[in-house]
Amino acid sequence: MLLGAGSGFFYGLFLLWLRRVRYADPIAVTFANCMGVALLFSFALLKRDVDAEDLALLFVMGAVQFALPYLLFTRGLREVESAEASLLALIEPVLNPVWVALFYGEEPTVATVIGGAIIIAGLAVRYSIIRESAPSEASPDPPRPAA
């Protein structure tokens, strides 16, 4: 329970931090974060029997599953508020069971289907019923630094 609560807390901090550096180069921010994670986890590899094929697979998976989405997410925060981005990011865990069902034939549990339906319904309500003023009217952006 503590890990779950901590995960949610730090995800919120992550979104707020990314929003603060939204005008920074997303590639530089992504690179710095990926290198930090790689450095932290490189110590775990010292205790394992890891060959070149495993390292190549880790690199590709890190680039495709972590770096590319993170880069796109960081870039998107220039246009979208943090709370909005966190709502849109909920689509990813909803689609994971769909991909597993389509490509591996594994059927999702009832709880997974119910959770996904709640998230989809919440997003549908947010984007169809709830109307907000344009972001520039609701909260003006801080001045963008000169390039």
Side-chain angles (χ1 to χ4, degrees), residues 47 52 83 122 141 144:
K47 299 188 184 265
D141 288 335
R144 188 173 180 164

Side-chain angles (χ1 to χ4, degrees), residues 16-144:
L16 293 174
W17 177 77
L18 280 180
R19 184 72 180 162
R20 287 188 59 101
V21 297
R22 66 181 165 188
Y23 294 119
D25 181 12
I27 293 175
V29 172
T30 301
F31 180 79
N33 282 300
C34 288
M35 288 297 104
V37 170
L39 179 65
L40 288 173
F41 284 104
S42 65
F43 296 107
L45 294 177
L46 297 175
K47 299 188 184 265
R48 304 270 191 257
D49 184 23
V50 180
D51 60 13
E53 184 179 342
D54 292 335
L55 285 175
L57 183 59
L58 281 172
F59 178 79
V60 170
M61 288 181 68
V64 172
Q65 289 186 305
F66 183 69
L68 181 61
Y70 185 82
L71 175 68
L72 295 172
F73 192 77
T74 304
R75 174 61 184 95
L77 280 174
R78 289 183 178 176
E79 309 296 326
V80 177
E81 295 294 324
S82 299
E84 189 92 5
S86 66
L87 284 174
L88 292 171
L90 290 174
I91 293 296
E92 188 264 336
V94 170
L95 290 178
N96 281 339
V98 172
W99 304 136
V100 170
L102 288 174
F103 293 109
Y104 293 104
E106 182 179 316
E107 291 192 28
T109 64
V110 173
T112 301
V113 172
I114 292 170
I118 290 170
I119 291 172
I120 295 292
L123 290 171
V125 167
R126 165 63 185 97
Y127 291 106
S128 63
I129 298 173
I130 299 173
R131 303 282 183 204
E132 288 186 331
S133 61
S136 60
E137 297 170 11
S139 60
D141 288 335
R144 188 173 180 164

